[in-house]
PDB file of all heavy atoms in Angstrom:
ATOM      1  N   VAL B  13      20.902  56.458  10.080  1.00  0.00           N
ATOM      2  CA  VAL B  13      19.807  57.238   9.531  1.00  0.00           C
ATOM      3  C   VAL B  13      19.519  58.354  10.520  1.00  0.00           C
ATOM      4  O   VAL B  13      19.103  58.088  11.652  1.00  0.00           O
ATOM      5  CB  VAL B  13      18.545  56.377   9.296  1.00  0.00           C
ATOM      6  CG1 VAL B  13      17.408  57.234   8.777  1.00  0.00           C
ATOM      7  CG2 VAL B  13      18.848  55.232   8.327  1.00  0.00           C
ATOM      8  N   GLN B  14      19.767  59.590  10.109  1.00  0.00           N
ATOM      9  CA  GLN B  14      19.477  60.733  10.974  1.00  0.00           C
ATOM     10  C   GLN B  14      18.024  61.136  10.755  1.00  0.00           C
ATOM     11  O   GLN B  14      17.605  61.360   9.623  1.00  0.00           O
ATOM     12  CB  GLN B  14      20.425  61.890  10.667  1.00  0.00           C
ATOM     13  CG  GLN B  14      21.855  61.595  11.126  1.00  0.00           C
ATOM     14  CD  GLN B  14      22.808  62.708  10.779  1.00  0.00           C
ATOM     15  OE1 GLN B  14      23.459  62.664   9.747  1.00  0.00           O
ATOM     16  NE2 GLN B  14      22.893  63.700  11.662  1.00  0.00           N
ATOM     17  N   GLY B  15      17.264  61.176  11.852  1.00  0.00           N
ATOM     18  CA  GLY B  15      15.827  61.405  11.768  1.00  0.00           C
ATOM     19  C   GLY B  15      15.072  60.096  11.643  1.00  0.00           C
ATOM     20  O   GLY B  15      13.963  60.041  11.123  1.00  0.00           O
ATOM     21  N   ILE B  16      15.645  59.022  12.153  1.00  0.00           N
ATOM     22  CA  ILE B  16      15.151  57.659  11.944  1.00  0.00           C
ATOM     23  C   ILE B  16      13.728  57.420  12.455  1.00  0.00           C
ATOM     24  O   ILE B  16      13.052  56.526  11.974  1.00  0.00           O
ATOM     25  CB  ILE B  16      16.124  56.621  12.550  1.00  0.00           C
ATOM     26  CG1 ILE B  16      15.790  55.208  12.055  1.00  0.00           C
ATOM     27  CG2 ILE B  16      16.129  56.718  14.079  1.00  0.00           C
ATOM     28  CD1 ILE B  16      16.851  54.177  12.374  1.00  0.00           C
ATOM     29  N   THR B  17      13.269  58.205  13.401  1.00  0.00           N
ATOM     30  CA  THR B  17      11.929  57.947  13.943  1.00  0.00           C
ATOM     31  C   THR B  17      10.821  58.639  13.150  1.00  0.00           C
ATOM     32  O   THR B  17       9.643  58.460  13.456  1.00  0.00           O
ATOM     33  CB  THR B  17      11.842  58.366  15.424  1.00  0.00           C
ATOM     34  OG1 THR B  17      12.162  59.750  15.539  1.00  0.00           O
ATOM     35  CG2 THR B  17      12.782  57.533  16.288  1.00  0.00           C
ATOM     36  N   GLY B  18      11.169  59.395  12.123  1.00  0.00           N
ATOM     37  CA  GLY B  18      10.163  60.023  11.269  1.00  0.00           C
ATOM     38  C   GLY B  18       9.493  58.999  10.360  1.00  0.00           C
ATOM     39  O   GLY B  18      10.052  57.935  10.063  1.00  0.00           O
ATOM     40  N   GLU B  20       8.858  58.782   7.075  1.00  0.00           N
ATOM     41  CA  GLU B  20       9.581  58.361   5.877  1.00  0.00           C
ATOM     42  C   GLU B  20      10.830  57.558   6.230  1.00  0.00           C
ATOM     43  O   GLU B  20      11.165  56.593   5.553  1.00  0.00           O
ATOM     44  CB  GLU B  20       9.957  59.572   5.026  1.00  0.00           C
ATOM     45  CG  GLU B  20       8.778  60.301   4.433  1.00  0.00           C
ATOM     46  CD  GLU B  20       7.956  59.449   3.479  1.00  0.00           C
ATOM     47  OE1 GLU B  20       8.551  58.641   2.729  1.00  0.00           O
ATOM     48  OE2 GLU B  20       6.717  59.574   3.502  1.00  0.00           O
ATOM     49  N   ALA B  21      11.514  57.960   7.286  1.00  0.00           N
ATOM     50  CA  ALA B  21      12.748  57.280   7.673  1.00  0.00           C
ATOM     51  C   ALA B  21      12.480  55.865   8.185  1.00  0.00           C
ATOM     52  O   ALA B  21      13.288  54.966   7.958  1.00  0.00           O
ATOM     53  CB  ALA B  21      13.483  58.085   8.725  1.00  0.00           C
ATOM     54  N   VAL B  22      11.368  55.666   8.860  1.00  0.00           N
ATOM     55  CA  VAL B  22      11.013  54.317   9.322  1.00  0.00           C
ATOM     56  C   VAL B  22      10.865  53.392   8.121  1.00  0.00           C
ATOM     57  O   VAL B  22      11.385  52.269   8.104  1.00  0.00           O
ATOM     58  CB  VAL B  22       9.723  54.350  10.181  1.00  0.00           C
ATOM     59  CG1 VAL B  22       9.181  52.953  10.411  1.00  0.00           C
ATOM     60  CG2 VAL B  22       9.990  55.048  11.510  1.00  0.00           C
ATOM     61  N   LEU B  24      12.111  53.901   5.039  1.00  0.00           N
ATOM     62  CA  LEU B  24      13.403  53.813   4.379  1.00  0.00           C
ATOM     63  C   LEU B  24      14.301  52.805   5.095  1.00  0.00           C
ATOM     64  O   LEU B  24      14.970  51.991   4.453  1.00  0.00           O
ATOM     65  CB  LEU B  24      14.060  55.192   4.358  1.00  0.00           C
ATOM     66  CG  LEU B  24      15.436  55.277   3.712  1.00  0.00           C
ATOM     67  CD1 LEU B  24      15.525  56.528   2.869  1.00  0.00           C
ATOM     68  CD2 LEU B  24      16.532  55.280   4.759  1.00  0.00           C
ATOM     69  N   VAL B  39      19.576  58.309  14.576  1.00  0.00           N
ATOM     70  CA  VAL B  39      19.701  59.469  15.455  1.00  0.00           C
ATOM     71  C   VAL B  39      18.433  60.307  15.387  1.00  0.00           C
ATOM     72  O   VAL B  39      18.018  60.707  14.301  1.00  0.00           O
ATOM     73  CB  VAL B  39      20.915  60.339  15.059  1.00  0.00           C
ATOM     74  CG1 VAL B  39      20.983  61.588  15.920  1.00  0.00           C
ATOM     75  CG2 VAL B  39      22.214  59.546  15.155  1.00  0.00           C
ATOM     76  N   SER B  71      25.783  58.377   6.258  1.00  0.00           N
ATOM     77  CA  SER B  71      24.556  58.784   6.925  1.00  0.00           C
ATOM     78  C   SER B  71      23.516  59.143   5.877  1.00  0.00           C
ATOM     79  O   SER B  71      23.836  59.797   4.881  1.00  0.00           O
ATOM     80  CB  SER B  71      24.796  59.992   7.831  1.00  0.00           C
ATOM     81  OG  SER B  71      23.569  60.418   8.404  1.00  0.00           O
ATOM     82  N   VAL B  72      22.282  58.712   6.125  1.00  0.00           N
ATOM     83  CA  VAL B  72      21.143  59.149   5.332  1.00  0.00           C
ATOM     84  C   VAL B  72      20.412  60.165   6.197  1.00  0.00           C
ATOM     85  O   VAL B  72      19.989  59.853   7.310  1.00  0.00           O
ATOM     86  CB  VAL B  72      20.218  57.970   4.964  1.00  0.00           C
ATOM     87  CG1 VAL B  72      19.008  58.470   4.196  1.00  0.00           C
ATOM     88  CG2 VAL B  72      20.975  56.921   4.165  1.00  0.00           C
ATOM     89  N   VAL B  73      20.274  61.386   5.690  1.00  0.00           N
ATOM     90  CA  VAL B  73      19.686  62.483   6.461  1.00  0.00           C
ATOM     91  C   VAL B  73      18.246  62.699   6.007  1.00  0.00           C
ATOM     92  O   VAL B  73      18.001  63.030   4.839  1.00  0.00           O
ATOM     93  CB  VAL B  73      20.511  63.773   6.296  1.00  0.00           C
ATOM     94  CG1 VAL B  73      19.904  64.909   7.098  1.00  0.00           C
ATOM     95  CG2 VAL B  73      21.960  63.533   6.723  1.00  0.00           C
ATOM     96  N   THR B  74      17.313  62.508   6.942  1.00  0.00           N
ATOM     97  CA  THR B  74      15.890  62.626   6.631  1.00  0.00           C
ATOM     98  C   THR B  74      15.188  63.601   7.563  1.00  0.00           C
ATOM     99  O   THR B  74      14.001  63.453   7.826  1.00  0.00           O
ATOM    100  CB  THR B  74      15.196  61.251   6.726  1.00  0.00           C
ATOM    101  OG1 THR B  74      15.282  60.803   8.077  1.00  0.00           O
ATOM    102  CG2 THR B  74      15.830  60.238   5.808  1.00  0.00           C
ATOM    103  N   VAL B  75      15.904  64.581   8.057  1.00  0.00           N
ATOM    104  CA  VAL B  75      15.332  65.534   9.016  1.00  0.00           C
ATOM    105  C   VAL B  75      14.678  66.708   8.276  1.00  0.00           C
ATOM    106  O   VAL B  75      14.969  66.944   7.112  1.00  0.00           O
ATOM    107  CB  VAL B  75      16.401  66.030  10.003  1.00  0.00           C
ATOM    108  CG1 VAL B  75      17.032  64.867  10.758  1.00  0.00           C
ATOM    109  CG2 VAL B  75      17.479  66.828   9.305  1.00  0.00           C
ATOM    110  N   PRO B  76      13.805  67.457   8.945  1.00  0.00           N
ATOM    111  CA  PRO B  76      13.164  68.619   8.301  1.00  0.00           C
ATOM    112  C   PRO B  76      14.206  69.645   7.834  1.00  0.00           C
ATOM    113  O   PRO B  76      15.311  69.735   8.385  1.00  0.00           O
ATOM    114  CB  PRO B  76      12.285  69.201   9.418  1.00  0.00           C
ATOM    115  CG  PRO B  76      12.022  68.055  10.333  1.00  0.00           C
ATOM    116  CD  PRO B  76      13.279  67.226  10.294  1.00  0.00           C
ATOM    117  N   THR B  80      18.385  70.350   8.838  1.00  0.00           N
ATOM    118  CA  THR B  80      19.280  69.566   7.986  1.00  0.00           C
ATOM    119  C   THR B  80      20.731  70.015   8.096  1.00  0.00           C
ATOM    120  O   THR B  80      21.635  69.183   8.209  1.00  0.00           O
ATOM    121  CB  THR B  80      18.809  69.614   6.520  1.00  0.00           C
ATOM    122  OG1 THR B  80      17.475  69.107   6.459  1.00  0.00           O
ATOM    123  CG2 THR B  80      19.697  68.780   5.635  1.00  0.00           C
ATOM    124  N   ALA B  83      22.312  68.717  11.216  1.00  0.00           N
ATOM    125  CA  ALA B  83      22.480  67.265  11.161  1.00  0.00           C
ATOM    126  C   ALA B  83      23.677  66.893  10.296  1.00  0.00           C
ATOM    127  O   ALA B  83      24.492  66.040  10.670  1.00  0.00           O
ATOM    128  CB  ALA B  83      21.208  66.608  10.639  1.00  0.00           C
ATOM    129  N   VAL B  96      24.073  61.282   2.499  1.00  0.00           N
ATOM    130  CA  VAL B  96      22.997  61.322   1.517  1.00  0.00           C
ATOM    131  C   VAL B  96      21.844  62.102   2.131  1.00  0.00           C
ATOM    132  O   VAL B  96      21.285  61.691   3.148  1.00  0.00           O
ATOM    133  CB  VAL B  96      22.543  59.899   1.136  1.00  0.00           C
ATOM    134  CG1 VAL B  96      21.389  59.951   0.136  1.00  0.00           C
ATOM    135  CG2 VAL B  96      23.710  59.097   0.580  1.00  0.00           C
ATOM    136  N   ILE B  97      21.505  63.223   1.521  1.00  0.00           N
ATOM    137  CA  ILE B  97      20.455  64.094   2.058  1.00  0.00           C
ATOM    138  C   ILE B  97      19.171  63.883   1.266  1.00  0.00           C
ATOM    139  O   ILE B  97      19.083  64.259   0.092  1.00  0.00           O
ATOM    140  CB  ILE B  97      20.874  65.574   2.005  1.00  0.00           C
ATOM    141  CG1 ILE B  97      22.209  65.784   2.712  1.00  0.00           C
ATOM    142  CG2 ILE B  97      19.781  66.450   2.606  1.00  0.00           C
ATOM    143  CD1 ILE B  97      22.798  67.165   2.511  1.00  0.00           C
ATOM    144  N   VAL B  98      18.182  63.299   1.920  1.00  0.00           N
ATOM    145  CA  VAL B  98      16.896  63.038   1.297  1.00  0.00           C
ATOM    146  C   VAL B  98      16.009  64.286   1.329  1.00  0.00           C
ATOM    147  O   VAL B  98      15.207  64.514   0.432  1.00  0.00           O
ATOM    148  CB  VAL B  98      16.199  61.849   2.005  1.00  0.00           C
ATOM    149  CG1 VAL B  98      14.816  61.617   1.454  1.00  0.00           C
ATOM    150  CG2 VAL B  98      17.058  60.600   1.886  1.00  0.00           C
ATOM    151  N   THR B  99      16.185  65.103   2.333  1.00  0.00           N
ATOM    152  CA  THR B  99      15.355  66.291   2.559  1.00  0.00           C
ATOM    153  C   THR B  99      15.380  67.227   1.357  1.00  0.00           C
ATOM    154  O   THR B  99      16.412  67.428   0.733  1.00  0.00           O
ATOM    155  CB  THR B  99      15.870  67.046   3.801  1.00  0.00           C
ATOM    156  OG1 THR B  99      15.958  66.127   4.884  1.00  0.00           O
ATOM    157  CG2 THR B  99      14.958  68.196   4.171  1.00  0.00           C
TER     158      THR B  99
END
Side-chain angles (χ1 to χ4, degrees):
V13 178
Q14 289 178 266
I16 193 168
T17 58
E20 294 298 323
V22 168
L24 179 138
V39 176
S71 176
V72 177
V73 180
T74 64
V75 302
T80 302
V96 178
I97 305 171
V98 176
T99 308

